[in-house]
Amino acid sequence: MTSKEIRSAFIEFFKQKQHQFVPSAPIVNKDDPTLMFTNAGMNQFKDFFLGNKPAPYSRAANSQKCLRVSGKHNDLEEVGLDTYHHTMFEMLGNWSFGDYFKQEAIAWAWELLTEVYKLPQDRLYASVFGGDEQDKLPVDQEAYDYWKGIIDEDRILLGSKADNFWEMGDTGPCGPCSEIHIDLRPQDEIDKTLGRKLVNQDHPLVVEIWNLVFMQFNRQASGDLHSLSAKHIDTGMGFERLAMAIQNKQSNYDTDVFSPLIELVSQKADVRYGDSRETDIAIRVIVDHIRAIAFTISDGQLPSNNKAGYVIRRILRRAVRYGYTFLEL
Ligand code: SER
């Protein structure tokens, strides 16, 4: 599948399950003082989760442009050095506003990954929230049991609050989550080390692809958790990582999402991608950052010397710095 086909297959799958397609919100966030940029698919739905506004549909699906370069979710310094983080990325999501909950979210995620995208079942792992003393929250046994009905228990891992409790920021809607990870290593490496040992260990080929969040709480400024009046589903799948898995690549940058840009920058710099670690990193930094900057500007935020504009200027400068230092551009 091309990346375009991967994106439409996602939307189609959920449309068939009565989800309303909702376009991506702008990447620049003007309405929420807690956020400069859209950092997750759920931002535009925050008021539905909190019960501040009624949702016009009870199920939705979309592909959201996200930027993770400031605040709680910030990947900027990783970008380019590794092969699977981005400043801007697309997040494929399906949403339930007080409608279905854990059982359907888990079952449909599995169905889409293994039956539509045909990802190999023996390469997939699921993690489940293992509880947290400080927040007085138990293990998410319900999610564990749903997974147990689908996959072997040695493919289910219990995770800490850091990995398996999703929060939008310091305050706001949140809840336990169940992540799906894929092991893309060659078989001989898998024979030596089991994939489950590498989940959440920053291995570039054992990566999280989908996060299913079970929205149940609102985190207060005091740190307390208040239960929401209804339970919701917020899922987010990394589109570029999914493309890497489906297109059988070892890097997001080798998928058709990025390869035309990689080729263009390589030509301009007269450097072959793959020839050296330093120039490869610089090329990845530029192709990632140019996408982020272009989309952000087109959504209304120019680089400038303060606030959101300054964040964009910093991304631009990082790209320029790598181009200048390593590619003589
Ligand atoms: N909100 C979750 C995330 O951003 C799932 O969409 O990972």
Short mmCIF file of all heavy atoms in Angstrom, two decimals, residues 39-40 42 68 91 95 166 211 213 234-236, ligand 1:
data_model
loop_
_atom_site.label_atom_id
_atom_site.label_comp_id
_atom_site.label_asym_id
_atom_site.label_seq_id
_atom_site.Cartn_x
_atom_site.Cartn_y
_atom_site.Cartn_z
N ASN A 39 -0.95 18.92 19.54
CA ASN A 39 0.05 17.89 19.82
C ASN A 39 -0.56 16.49 19.82
O ASN A 39 0.15 15.51 20.04
CB ASN A 39 0.78 18.16 21.15
CG ASN A 39 -0.11 18.01 22.37
OD1 ASN A 39 -1.29 17.68 22.25
ND2 ASN A 39 0.44 18.24 23.54
N ALA A 40 -1.86 16.40 19.57
CA ALA A 40 -2.51 15.08 19.54
C ALA A 40 -3.85 15.23 18.83
O ALA A 40 -4.45 16.32 18.81
CB ALA A 40 -2.73 14.56 20.96
N MET A 42 -6.60 14.40 19.77
CA MET A 42 -7.74 14.67 20.64
C MET A 42 -7.93 16.15 20.98
O MET A 42 -8.96 16.53 21.53
CB MET A 42 -7.66 13.86 21.93
CG MET A 42 -6.38 13.92 22.72
SD MET A 42 -6.15 15.43 23.64
CE MET A 42 -7.56 15.32 24.74
N ARG A 68 5.09 18.12 17.83
CA ARG A 68 5.53 17.86 19.21
C ARG A 68 6.89 18.48 19.45
O ARG A 68 7.92 17.81 19.38
CB ARG A 68 5.54 16.36 19.51
CG ARG A 68 4.12 15.80 19.54
CD ARG A 68 4.00 14.48 20.24
NE ARG A 68 2.58 14.19 20.46
CZ ARG A 68 2.11 13.03 20.88
NH1 ARG A 68 2.93 12.03 21.13
NH2 ARG A 68 0.81 12.85 21.06
N MET A 91 -1.39 11.77 12.87
CA MET A 91 -1.92 10.80 13.81
C MET A 91 -3.30 10.34 13.33
O MET A 91 -4.22 11.15 13.18
CB MET A 91 -2.02 11.43 15.19
CG MET A 91 -2.25 10.41 16.27
SD MET A 91 -2.44 11.22 17.84
CE MET A 91 -0.79 11.21 18.42
N TRP A 95 -12.49 7.68 17.44
CA TRP A 95 -12.97 8.37 18.64
C TRP A 95 -14.36 7.90 19.01
O TRP A 95 -15.20 7.73 18.14
CB TRP A 95 -13.05 9.89 18.34
CG TRP A 95 -11.79 10.36 17.70
CD1 TRP A 95 -11.51 10.36 16.37
CD2 TRP A 95 -10.62 10.80 18.35
NE1 TRP A 95 -10.23 10.79 16.17
CE2 TRP A 95 -9.66 11.07 17.36
CE3 TRP A 95 -10.28 11.01 19.69
CZ2 TRP A 95 -8.39 11.52 17.66
CZ3 TRP A 95 -9.02 11.47 19.99
CH2 TRP A 95 -8.09 11.72 18.99
N TRP A 166 -2.13 8.19 29.62
CA TRP A 166 -1.90 9.31 28.69
C TRP A 166 -2.54 10.59 29.18
O TRP A 166 -3.70 10.60 29.59
CB TRP A 166 -2.43 8.98 27.29
CG TRP A 166 -1.83 9.91 26.29
CD1 TRP A 166 -0.61 9.77 25.68
CD2 TRP A 166 -2.36 11.15 25.82
NE1 TRP A 166 -0.37 10.85 24.85
CE2 TRP A 166 -1.43 11.71 24.92
CE3 TRP A 166 -3.55 11.85 26.07
CZ2 TRP A 166 -1.62 12.92 24.27
CZ3 TRP A 166 -3.74 13.07 25.43
CH2 TRP A 166 -2.78 13.58 24.53
N ASN A 211 -1.71 3.97 19.99
CA ASN A 211 -2.02 4.17 21.40
C ASN A 211 -3.53 4.27 21.57
O ASN A 211 -4.16 5.15 20.98
CB ASN A 211 -1.33 5.46 21.89
CG ASN A 211 -1.44 5.64 23.38
OD1 ASN A 211 -1.83 4.72 24.10
ND2 ASN A 211 -1.10 6.82 23.87
N VAL A 213 -6.32 5.16 24.06
CA VAL A 213 -6.49 5.80 25.37
C VAL A 213 -7.93 5.67 25.82
O VAL A 213 -8.86 5.93 25.05
CB VAL A 213 -6.10 7.30 25.31
CG1 VAL A 213 -6.22 7.93 26.69
CG2 VAL A 213 -4.70 7.48 24.77
N ASP A 234 -10.01 7.56 22.73
CA ASP A 234 -9.13 8.42 21.94
C ASP A 234 -7.98 7.54 21.48
O ASP A 234 -7.18 7.10 22.29
CB ASP A 234 -8.61 9.54 22.85
CG ASP A 234 -7.23 10.07 22.42
OD1 ASP A 234 -6.76 9.74 21.32
OD2 ASP A 234 -6.63 10.80 23.23
N THR A 235 -7.93 7.24 20.19
CA THR A 235 -6.78 6.46 19.76
C THR A 235 -5.92 7.29 18.82
O THR A 235 -6.41 8.17 18.12
CB THR A 235 -7.16 5.14 19.03
OG1 THR A 235 -7.38 5.41 17.64
CG2 THR A 235 -8.35 4.47 19.66
N GLY A 236 -4.63 7.00 18.83
CA GLY A 236 -3.71 7.71 17.95
C GLY A 236 -2.69 6.74 17.39
O GLY A 236 -1.97 6.08 18.14
N1 SER B 1 -3.95 10.97 22.74
C1 SER B 1 -3.14 9.82 22.50
C2 SER B 1 -1.79 10.16 21.95
O1 SER B 1 -1.60 11.27 21.55
C3 SER B 1 -3.85 8.86 21.57
O2 SER B 1 -4.42 9.54 20.50
O3 SER B 1 -0.94 9.32 21.94
#
